[in-house]
Amino acid sequence: MKIGLIGLGRMGGNIARRLMRDGHQTVVYDNNADARANLAKDGGEAVDSLQALVQALPSPKVVWVMLPAGEITENTIQTLSGMLGKDDIVIDGGNTFYKDDARRAEELAAKGIHYVDVGTSGGVWGLDRGYCMMIGGDKPTVDHLDPIFRTLAPGAGDIPRTEDREGRDPRVENGYMHAGPAGSGHFVKMIHNGIEYGMMQAFAEGFDILKNRNAAHLPARERYDLDVADIAEVWRRGSVVSSWLLDLTASALAKGPELDNYSGYVDDSGEGRWTVNAAIEQAVPAEVLTSALFARFRSRQDHTYAERLLSAMRMGFGGHIEGRGKPPKEGEHS
């Protein structure tokens, strides 16, 4: 397929590259001329305006917007809606609030334009690992876009098949799913990120306890000088808590168990707050997810070893630089 990509940052640029690796054609645009030039070197058709991007696409036109949630995405889609026509498709692959998706889908449908939201997980590693995608939109449009999603997805890999899945959508086993109507993809991704907060917080607190078991106020016979890097490594191998987050933890600790490159200032990108708000709307108790979110708020006032580990994990999967704290030393983490 030939697709337009708007936003060539950490994920958008690699989405374009992964598509081109599989034979798709991309027309790419970003406000940053260097980002456009880099994609052009890799085979993308770089343009210098939204209008040029739309004009370069065949009908029905497919435009993937990969920008930060909020005003910039809102304005970009609004502008596109004035350029696109009947049966053209807008995809929002950022971390947009699901209620905004539902509203946009109605607004664009009135103009005959289809809207698809894609909750995209994979971070800076997606180019090689692929992207887990949770997709919202009408079925005919999502089915039309399947060649794109199939390319971007990680595939089944060597993960053992789950028993009793006969008759279910086979796309799920390849790392992407049609979750439902517009907004549902980002809703599922929002909850995914809320769960991610809780899992990260559990690892962070657990390793904080391990790291401080040699404290002077404890009885001498109960003090343990534990090697947290080795603990993370052994847990990766056959433990019930093995996961990609644990892999990232082990990698960070192997570089330096004290995590001196991190201040412990932990940002939140919005999805955790939205998850807690959804829990309140639905009267669903979410103690762990709420606590994990509040722990990030506290980290901006008082940093602990646990917060440094959270920062290390965020750097590992998403390339997130700490907010107001000391960033990693240049060249040590990328």
Side-chain angles (χ1 to χ4, degrees):
M1 299 182 71
K2 190 172 186 178
I3 179 174
L5 265 295
I6 300 171
L8 307 175
R10 289 190 301 257
M11 291 182 68
N14 281 345
I15 284 174
R17 292 181 178 93
R18 187 171 174 92
L19 287 170
M20 291 187 292
R21 280 183 177 180
D22 200 36
H24 299 281
Q25 296 175 277
T26 64
V27 183
V28 298
Y29 172 73
D30 192 286
N31 283 334
N32 186 311
D34 289 340
R36 298 197 302 265
N38 288 335
L39 259 296
K41 291 177 183 176
D42 291 336
E45 181 182 343
V47 295
D48 60 6
S49 70
L50 294 180
Q51 185 174 14
L53 181 140
V54 170
Q55 290 174 344
L57 295 172
S59 295
K61 301 176 189 294
V62 179
V63 182
W64 184 306
V65 180
M66 200 67 183
L67 296 168
E71 185 176 1
I72 186 171
T73 293
E74 190 71 36
N75 291 342
T76 299
I77 292 177
Q78 184 65 32
T79 300
L80 287 171
S81 72
M83 299 177 176
L84 297 173
K86 189 175 185 299
D87 291 330
D88 290 340
I89 302 167
V90 173
I91 304 169
D92 181 359
N95 282 324
T96 288
F97 186 40
Y98 69 97
K99 292 186 179 183
D100 290 333
D101 291 314
R103 170 183 52 79
R104 285 184 199 148
E106 289 185 357
E107 293 171 352
L108 293 180
K111 299 181 178 184
I113 302 169
H114 302 283
Y115 181 86
V116 173
D117 57 288
V118 182
T120 312
S121 181
V124 296
W125 302 95
L127 176 60
D128 296 316
R129 290 174 59 105
Y131 300 91
C132 174
M133 292 169 291
M134 298 133 271
I135 305 160
D138 64 86
K139 186 177 186 303
T141 302
V142 173
D143 288 347
H144 173 73
L145 297 170
D146 191 73
I148 292 171
F149 299 138
R150 188 168 61 247
T151 288
L152 293 175
D158 57 1
I159 299 174
R161 297 196 67 188
T162 301
E163 294 182 4
D164 301 322
R165 281 200 53 86
E166 291 78 9
R168 292 181 175 272
D169 188 344
R171 294 175 294 185
V172 173
E173 292 181 287
N174 286 287
Y176 66 111
M177 69 174 295
H178 182 199
S184 64
H186 278 145
F187 184 84
V188 174
K189 175 59 162 52
M190 177 185 78
I191 302 304
H192 163 283
N193 283 26
I195 293 170
E196 177 186 290
Y197 279 35
M199 292 174 66
M200 291 173 68
Q201 188 65 28
F203 276 126
E205 292 177 8
F207 276 94
D208 202 353
I209 296 168
L210 292 167
K211 184 72 171 58
N212 288 289
R213 192 57 208 179
N214 202 29
H217 68 273
L218 296 173
R221 64 177 179 275
E222 297 174 9
R223 295 179 204 161
Y224 311 128
D225 186 11
L226 300 170
D227 189 323
V228 289
D230 281 358
I231 292 170
E233 187 63 30
V234 76
W235 283 356
R236 292 183 61 217
R237 303 174 186 281
S239 159
V240 74
V241 298
S242 58
S243 64
W244 188 26
L245 286 175
L246 183 59
D247 293 345
L248 297 170
T249 298
S251 177
L253 292 175
K255 291 180 175 71
E258 298 300 326
L259 302 174
D260 289 334
N261 292 321
Y262 299 92
S263 72
Y265 182 105
V266 185
D267 278 317
D268 69 288
S269 52
E271 295 87 350
R273 302 186 192 208
W274 299 340
T275 297
V276 172
N277 287 338
I280 293 170
E281 285 183 350
Q282 299 163 216
V284 173
E287 298 96 331
V288 171
L289 307 190
T290 303
S291 177
L293 175 64
F294 287 176
R296 295 194 177 198
F297 296 165
R298 185 192 53 73
S299 79
R300 297 159 205 176
Q301 302 171 20
D302 179 28
H303 311 320
T304 67
Y305 184 81
E307 269 90 49
R308 295 203 296 278
L309 189 53
L310 285 174
S311 284
M313 283 188 271
R314 294 184 82 243
M315 170 61 80
F317 67 74
H320 299 292
I321 302 296
E322 292 179 316
R324 298 175 186 172
K326 182 178 66 175
K329 295 177 182 176
E330 185 175 356
E332 294 201 11
H333 298 281
S334 61

